[in-house]
Amino acid sequence: MIEADKILYLRRYLTLIRSQLYLSRCGITSRSPQYGGYVLEYVHPRNLRPGIYIAAERTYGTTVPQSSQSDVIDHKLMSFCDDVKKGQVLVDGLKEVISLCSKNDYQLPHDIGVLLLKCCGNLLHELETAERNHLASQVWHLAKKNGEAITLEYYNTLLGVNEENSLSVNPKKFLADMSVEPDENTYRLLLNTAIKTTNSEHLWDILSVTKDKSVTIYEEAVNVLIQIYMTGNNIAKVEQMITQMREAKLPTTKAYTELACGYARLGDIPNLINILNEEPQDNANLLRIIKILSVSNNSRHIPVILNFLMTSVPTLRTEISKMITELIRADQVADAHTIINCIAMNNEMKEIVPSFINSFMNELIILNAPIDDIVKYANDFVESGCSQQALFDVAEIGLKLGRKKLCLAIFQMMRRKNIEIRPHYYWPLLVKAHNNKGEAEIYSLVKSMVNAGLKIDSDTLVHYIYPYVNTTNPTVTLQKLLLNDVSSAITFTPLLSFLLQQNRLQDIVPLCTSHIHNKIYYRELMKPLVNAYIVTKDFKNCIALLTAFPQGRDFIGLFLKSLIKVEYPIYIEDLQLLLEELITREVKISQMDANILKDRLKTNENFNLTPKVVNLIENLVDPSMIDLQVMSHPRYMNAKELTYYLIEVKSSTNSAYKDYIKNILQKLLISYCLENDLKKVEEIKQEYDACQYEWTPSIKSILFELYLKNNKLNEAEALLPELQITPNKIQIDRNKIVMYATALVKANKPTKALDIIDTFNAIDFKTNAQTHCCTLLQVLAQSQYHNCTKDMLNLLLKKNYCKVTTELLKPLMAIPLKRNDILEAETVLAECAQKFHKAPLILEVLTILLEQKYNSKLQNANSRIENVYNIISTIYSGQTANTILAIALATLDKTEKLKTLLQDCQLSMNCLVYYLSNIESNRSIDGLQNILKVTDANGVNQNVMCEILLSTYDKMGDCNRALELWKIMCTKNIKPTKQFKKSFTQFLLSNNISLPPELNRIKMK
């Protein structure tokens, strides 16, 4: 009974499906779709859900009782309709009902057929278009099999689905095949389909049909057809369409826009101009035409079109900037540049041109355009007068983005144009370098600053260089900066200031001891020195710093006054220790300073002034001392402070100040000479001459040296007549005479250089010119006049300019080695050994002999190698000869022969340390590291070798070799010393290199 009730219920339900009542319940009506297009209305709006989706996993009714196949299909259709009502279009369900209807010749009800057809469009959006079209054709086939006439709703629904699926429909054929009269919506759907598929033939056909019917011609369809014709450059068809549009009284504005764009694409400028004159285009279309001219290689005509736009440019700032961006992204950079230049030619647009330039340059930088192009365009904007700020703006963007190469290229261009580059321009790059590669990149930037002719100031050193490099050994830090051509005259005081800010007083005294010839500007150090003492109470090192250089003693009184203030708590024990140390070092202060100290101590509520303290202060007094205002006296000012002071003096109305100008200019000139700032020296010199001040011999001598350092030989020689006392006696020391001779050699005047050394007599015969003599011989040996090197050496020795050392003789040996003349090198070596008892470049000679022996390029190899070995043994020792032989074998990577040598011979640690500390090339570094690989702890002091090698790698900034050294130590089980671990860790971390895991394990232990 239950099964029979189910069947009865199903049949009644299917009867309702076939009725309008059920269709209304499902949201389907038999009325035609609304005018204006295909509208799917199978569900009431209140039942629609925003996420209609395909559910392909549903399995349909399995509980239907055994009955006729028609009942089964009815049930399937009922379930499908329920799903549609719920907003679900189930692919499998649709396929199943279509298949069942097809196989069983099921008479598909009209409204159900329309519903199934509608489900084959966008409602199956996740299904491939081809499959949707296939399902639609199956439903259409079922509809035609019904035997009933296909209704207009069916035809229009099919067209709507075809439009959704972008299926091209031949309008003539479709209209001919229709069994009912089409309505306006049919034509509209045919137009939409043709538009969507951009089929010009179909568009033309349907427009031709509608022309003879009382059907509205839609402007959109006509414009699409025009666009299609213009794409194919079919101008005649476009003109024909415009004529038809006029006859149909349709707007032609868009049509003329498309025609204008077509002419632009073809480069037909006369016709384009005619349209713009007769049918004026709005600004957006003019910008579109300009872009088309650009991308179609007709950019030469852009200026013509810009004339139509020029009056509207101020109101189109955003749109033009956007167009510039689009052109650059389309690789039409030159056209964007042309547009900006054209706009800039109009004086009324000067104020808005910079914004276009910013858009242009920003986009180039963002797209990583070639740096040369970016610099070229920025410079062009400057030279054309469009924007004097272009280079600065690009530099600013590059700095913000951390584009090091771009910034350096811009700085180079600015330098060529004599635009001042300031140290703070580099600050963002230095910070980025620290975060990226660390110390090595910091020094690379320092080198770039020097090469750009930039003077690195104290702020840059203290805040952006020293904090980002390894300063554990301050002397090494100064050496690294010196290797990058930054003189200690610039770096020394800022380094002391930085160390004081770090309260590292213990590192300062050794630094001062090793740099006694440097000048310290104590004014810069007073504040950090006072703070360092307050924190550390390290009175010994504080006083040591103040007494390390003569001027420091003048600041003792100021130092004490800065410490002893009424508002500061003062401890008698600390003060007594400080005063006693000053007395021990025989430091003196003025009576005025002593009185101030005593008065402050008396008024300090936290301090009980004892007679002992009073006596200690009195013992420091020197009655003859004049109280100098050291913080304002020009004697203690650096170049920057002197410059400001000079401006102040010049602006003063006090006539007494005018007498100070000469003294200030002299101090400035000396300071700039010490810093090797030739440009500033020339500026001061011009001002000095303008004031007609007399030049002293000492100032001329300093200028003479500066000119020689900077290869200004003519300027230096111009000063010689004024420095000569007699024809052969000159008011310069021996160092400067040798420097002069070196400059003459560089200027291809070796004969004159020899004559200068031979005939000039210096005023100071005690000056040590050894280093400059080595430099002179090196320059001569490397020049085309190398044959004069031996004569120059003999002359220098004869005139007592220098003493014979191995370093002095190296240039003689370098001459034949550079020419690969090993036989001549052996001869020179033998002469040096016999005459001077020295063996210059002996390692290089022995290495070349061994290399040629192993390559079978050397005759009498064994005897010649033995001769060199005997020279070493005679001059030094057999152990030294064995050590040099071992280094040579290690350099050539002859490991087995090295092992054989080490079985019978001991190495000289002194010799190894010498070569480790005086490494000539990367090849010799590798050789010394190979020695470490092969030897054991009994043969050499492995820890000493490791520490010296690490120090060398640190100076070179070579992290890879340092890591290789660590691997060797781990392999050979060399236990690192505490100092090695500290230096190695700091070196790696300063270069942003992760510590090896083995080192971490050691630290954990």
Side-chain angles (χ1 to χ4, degrees):
M1 183 64 183
I2 294 175
E3 294 297 325
D5 287 342
K6 285 184 179 179
I7 294 172
L8 179 60
Y9 173 78
L10 175 61
R11 287 175 178 171
R12 289 175 178 174
Y13 191 74
L14 286 173
T15 302
L16 290 174
I17 290 176
R18 296 187 178 97
S19 70
Q20 289 296 325
L21 180 62
Y22 180 80
L23 294 173
S24 176
R25 175 170 163 251
C26 287
I28 301 169
T29 62
S30 59
R31 59 189 174 88
S32 300
Q34 295 178 358
Y35 174 80
Y38 167 69
V39 181
L40 186 63
E41 299 177 321
Y42 62 87
V43 178
H44 282 303
R46 65 176 180 273
N47 294 326
L48 286 171
R49 296 196 306 218
I52 296 176
Y53 62 94
I54 300 174
E57 300 299 324
R58 175 172 177 129
T59 302
Y60 287 88
T62 57
T63 61
V64 179
Q66 296 296 324
S67 62
S68 68
Q69 191 64 29
S70 178
D71 291 336
V72 172
I73 296 173
D74 287 344
H75 178 71
K76 297 292 185 183
L77 286 170
M78 177 189 66
S79 297
F80 183 78
C81 290
D82 284 340
D83 287 336
V84 172
K85 178 185 175 183
K86 295 173 184 176
Q88 299 177 0
V89 180
L90 306 171
V91 175
D92 289 346
L94 180 59
K95 289 181 178 180
E96 186 177 14
V97 296
I98 292 174
S99 176
L100 287 171
C101 291
S102 298
K103 292 178 180 178
N104 295 283
D105 293 328
Y106 185 81
Q107 296 297 309
L108 194 64
H110 172 272
D111 292 317
I112 297 299
V114 171
L115 174 62
L116 294 180
L117 191 56
K118 289 180 179 181
C119 290
C120 297
N122 284 343
L123 295 176
L124 297 178
H125 58 88
E126 292 187 3
L127 203 60
E128 291 291 335
T129 304
E131 194 169 353
R132 282 154 49 183
N133 286 329
H134 177 66
L135 292 173
S137 66
Q138 287 183 303
V139 175
W140 186 251
H141 180 69
L142 287 174
K144 290 197 294 184
K145 280 177 60 177
N146 277 347
E148 300 178 5
I150 302 295
T151 65
L152 181 61
E153 184 180 5
Y154 252 128
Y155 284 112
N156 287 347
T157 302
L158 178 62
L159 286 175
V161 170
N162 287 340
E163 180 189 353
E164 291 178 358
N165 294 342
S166 301
L167 181 64
S168 181
V169 177
N170 186 323
K172 288 184 177 180
K173 185 176 185 308
F174 188 87
L175 292 171
D177 291 343
M178 287 183 65
S179 57
V180 294
E181 188 68 24
D183 63 0
E184 187 168 344
N185 197 41
T186 307
Y187 295 114
R188 173 74 174 184
L189 289 166
L190 284 169
L191 273 174
N192 289 347
T193 304
I195 290 170
K196 190 169 184 181
T197 58
T198 63
N199 190 313
S200 59
E201 183 181 352
H202 291 171
L203 265 173
W204 181 261
D205 288 343
I206 191 61
L207 289 172
S208 300
V209 171
T210 55
K211 179 183 177 183
D212 300 329
K213 306 281 185 183
S214 297
V215 177
T216 303
I217 298 178
Y218 297 102
E219 182 187 355
E220 180 188 359
V222 179
N223 287 330
V224 169
L225 187 55
I226 288 174
Q227 288 176 2
I228 294 170
Y229 288 147
M230 288 310 306
T231 303
N233 297 327
N234 195 337
I235 302 298
K237 281 284 189 182
V238 173
E239 293 171 347
Q240 185 179 358
M241 289 300 304
I242 291 176
T243 301
Q244 291 186 2
M245 291 178 74
R246 284 176 175 167
E247 291 174 357
K249 296 183 179 180
L250 289 174
T252 58
T253 303
K254 290 185 178 180
Y256 274 112
T257 300
E258 295 303 324
L259 185 58
C261 291
Y263 286 138
R265 196 175 293 108
L266 294 172
D268 188 346
I269 303 306
N271 279 322
L272 173 59
I273 299 301
N274 287 338
I275 290 179
L276 297 181
N277 286 327
E278 296 174 6
E279 298 286 340
Q281 299 294 309
D282 61 23
N283 294 328
N285 287 331
L286 288 171
L287 293 176
R288 180 185 170 198
I289 290 170
I290 289 171
K291 284 189 280 187
I292 291 173
L293 286 171
S294 175
V295 298
S296 59
N297 295 322
N298 291 305
S299 54
R300 62 190 180 280
H301 303 300
I302 287 177
V304 177
I305 309 305
L306 278 172
N307 289 330
F308 290 89
L309 192 67
M310 201 57 73
T311 56
S312 303
V313 167
T315 61
L316 294 173
R317 183 180 300 187
T318 302
E319 291 80 0
I320 292 175
S321 294
K322 182 180 178 182
M323 179 179 67
I324 289 169
T325 299
E326 290 173 353
L327 288 176
I328 293 173
R329 290 179 181 177
D331 200 24
Q332 303 294 323
V333 181
D335 295 343
H337 181 248
T338 299
I339 290 169
I340 295 174
N341 282 335
C342 288
I343 295 174
M345 292 173 66
N346 189 326
N347 290 330
E348 296 179 4
M349 307 299 169
K350 291 292 185 183
E351 292 184 2
I352 62 174
V353 167
S355 66
F356 298 147
I357 293 174
N358 283 339
S359 297
F360 180 90
M361 300 308 307
N362 276 339
E363 196 61 29
L364 284 183
I365 295 170
I366 290 170
L367 293 177
N368 280 320
I371 291 175
D372 291 344
D373 290 351
I374 296 174
V375 175
K376 180 189 73 173
Y377 284 118
N379 184 54
D380 181 79
F381 287 130
V382 172
E383 292 188 346
S384 65
C386 293
S387 172
Q388 294 301 318
Q389 285 291 116
L391 288 169
F392 284 102
D393 292 341
V394 172
E396 184 176 357
I397 298 168
L399 290 170
K400 287 179 180 177
L401 296 176
R403 302 279 183 83
K404 174 185 171 183
K405 291 182 180 179
L406 172 61
C407 292
L408 296 182
I410 288 291
F411 293 158
Q412 185 178 12
M413 177 58 70
M414 292 169 69
R415 184 185 177 196
R416 289 178 191 168
K417 302 183 76 65
N418 294 320
I419 299 173
E420 183 182 6
I421 305 169
R422 299 180 180 178
H424 69 266
Y425 295 175
Y426 282 80
W427 291 357
L429 294 180
L430 290 165
V431 174
K432 184 75 178 292
H434 166 65
N435 293 330
N436 287 347
K437 296 183 180 178
E439 183 179 276
E441 193 168 350
I442 294 288
Y443 284 120
S444 172
L445 279 171
V446 168
K447 184 68 174 178
S448 299
M449 295 169 77
V450 173
N451 292 340
L454 187 65
K455 177 184 173 183
I456 302 176
D457 63 355
S458 180
D459 285 340
T460 302
L461 286 163
V462 172
H463 300 296
Y464 292 95
I465 292 178
Y466 291 139
Y468 298 149
V469 299
N470 184 5
T471 57
T472 306
N473 187 335
T475 300
V476 173
T477 304
L478 290 177
Q479 289 173 351
K480 290 179 181 179
L481 287 167
L482 192 60
L483 288 172
N484 288 285
D485 299 324
V486 187
S487 71
S488 55
I490 294 172
T491 61
F492 192 61
T493 300
L495 180 57
L496 294 178
S497 178
F498 172 75
L499 294 173
L500 286 172
Q501 291 175 24
Q502 302 291 314
N503 300 319
R504 292 168 56 186
L505 284 160
Q506 73 282 359
D507 292 329
I508 286 180
V509 175
L511 188 63
C512 293
T513 305
S514 60
H515 291 77
I516 57 174
H517 298 296
N518 284 50
K519 183 175 182 179
I520 290 183
Y521 294 98
Y522 279 96
R523 275 170 49 107
E524 297 180 37
L525 301 180
M526 290 314 298
K527 184 176 179 180
L529 178 60
V530 169
N531 291 336
Y533 172 77
I534 292 173
V535 172
T536 65
K537 296 296 187 293
D538 186 352
F539 63 91
K540 284 185 176 293
N541 282 321
C542 283
I543 302 305
L545 173 60
L546 287 167
T547 56
F549 297 87
Q551 280 193 354
R553 293 175 175 265
D554 296 339
F555 284 81
I556 299 291
L558 177 63
F559 175 69
L560 291 172
K561 287 186 290 185
S562 299
L563 287 177
I564 302 173
K565 291 187 177 180
V566 176
E567 63 270 21
Y568 284 3
I570 302 169
Y571 300 100
I572 189 168
E573 296 85 358
D574 295 334
L575 182 59
Q576 286 182 184
L577 290 171
L578 183 61
L579 295 173
E580 289 169 356
E581 180 68 18
L582 289 170
I583 293 171
T584 302
R585 290 180 177 267
E586 299 181 352
V587 174
K588 297 297 180 180
I589 61 175
S590 69
Q591 185 64 60
M592 181 180 291
D593 284 340
N595 293 338
I596 293 172
L597 293 176
K598 288 184 289 185
D599 290 342
R600 288 184 179 179
L601 290 171
K602 287 177 184 177
T603 56
N604 193 310
E605 298 177 356
N606 301 314
F607 188 83
N608 182 21
L609 183 60
T610 64
K612 182 176 181 180
V613 172
V614 172
N615 289 333
L616 288 172
I617 294 174
E618 289 296 334
N619 289 337
L620 290 173
V621 174
D622 180 354
S624 64
M625 279 189 69
I626 300 173
D627 185 59
L628 292 174
Q629 298 298 318
V630 291
M631 293 303 286
S632 59
H633 198 286
R635 180 191 302 176
Y636 307 103
M637 294 181 182
N638 59 27
K640 183 178 180 181
E641 293 162 344
L642 282 170
T643 302
Y644 294 148
Y645 185 59
L646 180 63
I647 295 171
E648 180 184 342
V649 168
K650 287 179 179 179
S651 62
S652 174
T653 56
N654 189 340
S655 59
Y657 277 2
K658 302 301 179 183
D659 297 333
Y660 296 164
I661 294 178
K662 178 181 178 181
N663 186 40
I664 295 171
L665 288 174
Q666 287 182 347
K667 288 183 177 299
L668 270 173
L669 190 138
I670 293 171
S671 294
Y672 286 134
C673 283
L674 290 173
E675 294 173 1
N676 198 31
D677 192 336
L678 181 62
K679 182 180 178 182
K680 289 292 185 182
V681 168
E682 291 292 353
E683 291 175 2
I684 298 298
K685 184 176 179 294
Q686 288 178 7
E687 187 171 354
Y688 198 88
D689 288 334
C691 295
Q692 297 183 340
Y693 295 135
E694 183 179 355
W695 290 93
T696 63
S698 61
I699 296 293
K700 289 178 183 176
S701 176
I702 293 171
L703 269 177
F704 181 75
E705 181 178 1
L706 178 74
Y707 287 140
L708 292 177
K709 284 181 179 178
N710 290 275
N711 299 318
K712 298 286 184 179
L713 181 60
N714 293 335
E715 289 81 350
E717 288 187 321
L719 292 171
L720 279 178
E722 303 172 33
L723 291 169
Q724 283 185 310
I725 301 172
T726 63
N728 290 328
K729 191 169 184 179
I730 192 165
Q731 290 180 303
I732 54 177
D733 59 40
R734 292 184 144 214
N735 271 328
K736 295 181 180 66
I737 292 176
V738 178
M739 289 175 67
Y740 179 34
T742 304
L744 288 170
V745 172
K746 291 179 180 179
N748 299 320
K749 298 178 180 179
T751 304
K752 188 175 181 179
L754 286 163
D755 183 60
I756 291 296
I757 297 297
D758 189 28
T759 59
F760 268 36
N761 293 315
I763 58 172
D764 183 5
F765 287 94
K766 296 181 180 180
T767 304
N768 184 0
Q770 189 77 27
T771 301
H772 290 291
C773 289
C774 290
T775 302
L776 170 58
L777 293 173
Q778 287 169 7
V779 170
L780 195 53
Q782 293 169 4
S783 73
Q784 58 182 316
Y785 310 104
H786 53 78
N787 290 332
C788 300
T789 306
K790 188 174 182 179
D791 294 336
M792 181 63 79
L793 171 65
N794 292 332
L795 190 58
L796 289 169
L797 294 173
K798 177 183 175 182
K799 293 291 183 177
N800 294 320
Y801 274 90
C802 54
K803 297 179 179 179
V804 176
T805 62
T806 303
E807 194 69 27
L808 189 73
L809 297 176
K810 280 183 179 181
L812 281 181
M813 286 295 300
I815 296 170
L817 289 177
K818 184 179 179 181
R819 301 198 309 267
N820 294 319
D821 189 348
I822 188 61
L823 188 60
E824 176 65 18
E826 291 176 71
T827 302
V828 174
L829 177 63
E831 291 176 359
C832 289
Q834 182 181 4
K835 186 176 180 179
F836 302 112
H837 203 65
K838 303 290 182 185
L841 299 181
I842 189 66
L843 175 60
E844 287 75 2
V845 174
L846 188 56
T847 302
I848 292 172
L849 287 172
L850 287 168
E851 186 175 29
Q852 292 192 3
K853 173 189 174 182
Y854 296 133
N855 292 336
S856 302
K857 294 182 179 179
L858 189 68
Q859 294 181 348
N860 303 320
N862 290 333
S863 61
R864 292 167 67 177
I865 292 170
E866 187 176 351
N867 287 337
V868 172
Y869 180 89
N870 290 335
I871 289 173
I872 304 171
S873 299
T874 303
I875 295 174
Y876 304 108
S877 67
Q879 193 177 40
T880 299
N882 290 331
T883 305
I884 294 174
L885 178 59
I887 297 173
L889 290 171
T891 301
L892 297 173
D893 205 18
K894 299 296 180 182
T895 306
E896 294 304 319
K897 295 185 180 299
L898 176 60
K899 289 179 178 179
T900 302
L901 174 67
L902 295 176
Q903 287 175 359
D904 303 320
C905 304
Q906 286 288 324
L907 300 184
S908 166
M909 198 61 210
N910 289 337
C911 182
L912 280 174
V913 169
Y914 170 80
Y915 280 107
L916 284 166
S917 305
N918 297 275
I919 290 174
E920 299 284 346
S921 65
N922 289 338
R923 191 184 187 193
S924 58
I925 293 176
D926 295 334
L928 289 162
Q929 192 159 279
N930 286 337
I931 291 279
L932 183 64
K933 287 181 184 178
V934 174
T935 56
D936 55 29
N938 295 325
V940 297
N941 189 328
Q942 293 175 320
N943 285 120
V944 170
M945 287 192 70
C946 291
E947 288 181 8
I948 298 177
L949 278 171
L950 179 62
S951 175
T952 302
Y953 299 152
D954 187 7
K955 290 177 186 177
M956 296 169 58
D958 195 335
C959 296
N960 292 329
R961 279 196 168 90
L963 290 170
E964 179 63 26
L965 173 62
W966 177 257
K967 290 179 183 177
I968 294 172
M969 294 176 69
C970 291
T971 302
K972 294 184 67 65
N973 200 25
I974 300 173
K975 185 179 180 180
T977 62
K978 183 177 179 180
Q979 181 58 45
F980 181 93
K981 285 187 289 186
K982 180 181 177 183
S983 301
F984 184 61
T985 300
Q986 290 170 337
F987 176 48
L988 293 183
L989 293 179
S990 66
N991 285 281
N992 293 345
I993 304 294
S994 300
L995 298 179
E998 302 89 355
L999 185 61
N1000 282 325
R1001 285 198 292 270
I1002 293 174
K1003 291 174 69 175
M1004 290 175 65
K1005 291 178 183 179

